[in-house]
Amino acid sequence: MTNVECEFMSDILRAVKSGQWTDSLRNHAASCPRCQETRATTMMMKELVANNPAHRLRDYRVIWLKAQYARKEERLTKFDLLALVGLSLSGIAGLFGLFLLMLPQLSGRFLDIMVPAVPRLSTVLSSGVPVLVVTGVAVMIWILTRDSIFIEK
Amino acid sequence: MDEEVFRAFYERTNRALWLYIAGMVKDNELADDLFQESYIKVLQSRIEYKNEPQMKSYLYRTATNCMRDHWRKMKREREWFEAEGGEAAEVRNPIELRHDLQAAFSGLSLQQRSLLWLAYAEEYEHKEIADILMLKEKSVKVLLFRAKHKLIELAGKLGITREVTP
């Protein structure tokens, strides 16, 4: 058995659907087993479609609103992730800065050994840490409120 | 896709898509859920609406994937339940098979049903079917041929005969 359809397959399909047969197509269908199968299958499928009960479909607005909500939720999940990363980074930076501030001698010695060319980095850091923390918090607030500020149409 | 474009697209495609899904799953409630999920996924994907056939193909592909995912989940749940020592639950099929033809159709695999539905009920070209079912065009020809034979064979076993001469 070869898995090849007859060249008249699409014509048979159309004829079964429309009920319009030309004489030559009718003669061909009567003698071609492939086309007989196509015709039988088309009739069966037609019957299956016709047998489906009338069913009330959902209003498009319900689906539209659900999609908007799902999209918003998806975006919020991304924002949550960003906020978490932002929070973690600013937290780590803050802790590191705090550690350096609380142990100035240690930090001084550490900096003198590691980076002798940088003068009084602890002073720079001491003024920089609050700025860093405030910036981190501001970025987080922006990320979390962005969705409610820019409401999508 | 804005709301107005979606409304028009939905109105043109909803009936046929629901019939396609219901024809595959034979469960109206499940068909409703998968139907809704398909449209939501299409909207979520932010695919650009270029033309109707492209969008329709994408919609059917999404619906087919939703059905596939549902089947896989059902299969996993059954296997897990069996592994836990329970008896496998019957596949839920709340709609009575209204006649033998539906029983014959239900005897086909999801892929075979999809192929036949898209080719014979929706009259999609082989290329479009290949796109929807993510198959090669050549494979569609062969698989469709086999699906057709299987349906005729199953119908024959159930004593369903259709007039074959026009």
Side-chain angles (χ1 to χ4, degrees):
Chain A
M1 182 173 73
T2 52
N3 299 333
V4 179
E5 290 290 356
C6 174
E7 58 179 309
F8 292 103
M9 182 191 163
S10 46
D11 296 330
I12 297 286
L13 258 163
R14 269 194 292 276
V16 175
K17 292 255 170 183
S18 64
Q20 292 173 335
W21 293 81
T22 61
D23 287 341
S24 60
L25 196 62
R26 188 177 283 120
N27 290 337
H28 170 79
S31 60
C32 174
R34 296 273 153 83
C35 287
Q36 287 177 6
E37 286 172 358
T38 298
R39 182 168 185 267
T41 309
T42 311
M43 286 178 74
M44 284 194 260
M45 294 307 298
K46 210 173 155 185
E47 200 174 313
L48 277 169
V49 174
N51 272 321
N52 267 295
H55 185 76
R56 198 182 147 84
L57 297 173
R58 284 172 196 177
D59 191 284
Y60 87 93
R61 276 168 292 202
V62 175
I63 292 174
W64 175 260
L65 287 173
K66 282 190 176 183
Q68 299 307 307
Y69 181 75
R71 210 188 262 186
K72 207 169 184 179
E73 280 222 313
E74 185 188 35
R75 204 167 48 224
L76 276 175
T77 314
K78 281 178 191 167
F79 286 155
D80 289 346
L81 188 70
L82 273 172
L84 194 69
V85 171
L87 185 68
S88 308
L89 286 177
S90 54
I92 290 166
L95 281 173
F96 185 65
L98 208 63
F99 175 74
L100 292 180
L101 279 174
M102 286 177 77
L103 300 163
Q105 286 177 337
L106 185 66
S107 67
R109 278 183 71 184
F110 171 76
L111 289 169
D112 287 344
I113 295 162
M114 298 305 290
V115 199
V118 180
R120 307 300 304 157
L121 190 60
S122 58
T123 316
V124 177
L125 279 172
S126 64
S127 60
V129 166
V131 174
L132 194 68
V133 171
V134 167
T135 310
V137 170
V139 167
M140 267 177 55
I141 290 169
W142 178 75
I143 286 168
L144 290 169
T145 55
R146 191 180 149 199
D147 194 55
S148 51
I149 294 168
F150 301 103
I151 298 165
E152 200 171 321
K153 216 177 120 185
Chain B
M1 196 192 293
D2 67 27
E3 191 174 346
E4 194 47 41
V5 174
F6 174 69
R7 186 192 60 77
F9 176 67
Y10 180 79
E11 278 167 13
R12 284 194 298 269
T13 54
N14 62 6
R15 188 83 211 141
L17 184 77
W18 192 85
L19 283 174
Y20 170 61
I21 298 172
M24 300 301 116
V25 300
K26 296 286 164 215
D27 177 340
N28 283 3
E29 267 182 44
L30 178 60
D32 276 342
D33 291 344
L34 293 170
F35 169 82
Q36 180 178 276
E37 192 186 334
S38 307
Y39 277 107
I40 289 176
K41 282 193 172 167
V42 167
L43 284 170
Q44 269 186 293
S45 73
R46 293 158 195 261
I47 184 170
E48 201 188 329
Y49 187 96
K50 284 179 191 154
N51 54 58
E52 182 91 5
Q54 166 254 0
M55 203 63 196
K56 213 174 150 195
S57 269
Y58 186 73
L59 175 68
Y60 274 76
R61 195 193 311 156
T62 308
T64 309
N65 286 337
C66 288
M67 286 190 275
R68 237 180 240 155
D69 289 346
H70 171 76
W71 248 266
R72 281 187 196 132
K73 196 179 153 210
M74 294 257 296
K75 198 180 162 207
R76 269 201 307 273
E77 278 174 9
R78 255 200 324 272
E79 282 170 357
W80 178 81
F81 193 70
E82 280 168 346
E84 288 289 303
E87 281 184 28
E90 285 287 310
V91 176
R92 208 162 74 90
N93 196 0
I95 291 182
E96 287 294 314
L97 292 175
R98 280 177 292 273
H99 53 71
D100 290 342
L101 185 54
Q102 281 189 339
F105 193 62
S106 300
L108 301 172
S109 70
L110 176 65
Q111 189 187 57
Q112 287 173 324
R113 276 181 276 166
S114 300
L115 279 160
L116 288 173
W117 196 280
L118 293 170
Y120 291 94
E122 298 276 340
E123 292 178 63
Y124 272 110
E125 298 289 330
H126 287 174
K127 196 179 173 304
E128 292 170 308
I129 298 173
D131 187 41
I132 291 168
L133 300 179
M134 288 181 279
L135 296 166
K136 285 180 185 165
E137 198 179 337
K138 261 187 174 179
S139 309
V140 169
K141 282 182 190 171
V142 178
L143 292 169
L144 193 55
F145 187 84
R146 287 182 193 157
K148 190 172 79 173
H149 270 267
K150 181 92 186 281
L151 179 65
I152 289 171
E153 187 193 315
L154 288 170
K157 278 182 188 168
L158 291 167
I160 305 162
T161 50
R162 289 286 173 277
E163 189 72 36
V164 287
T165 47

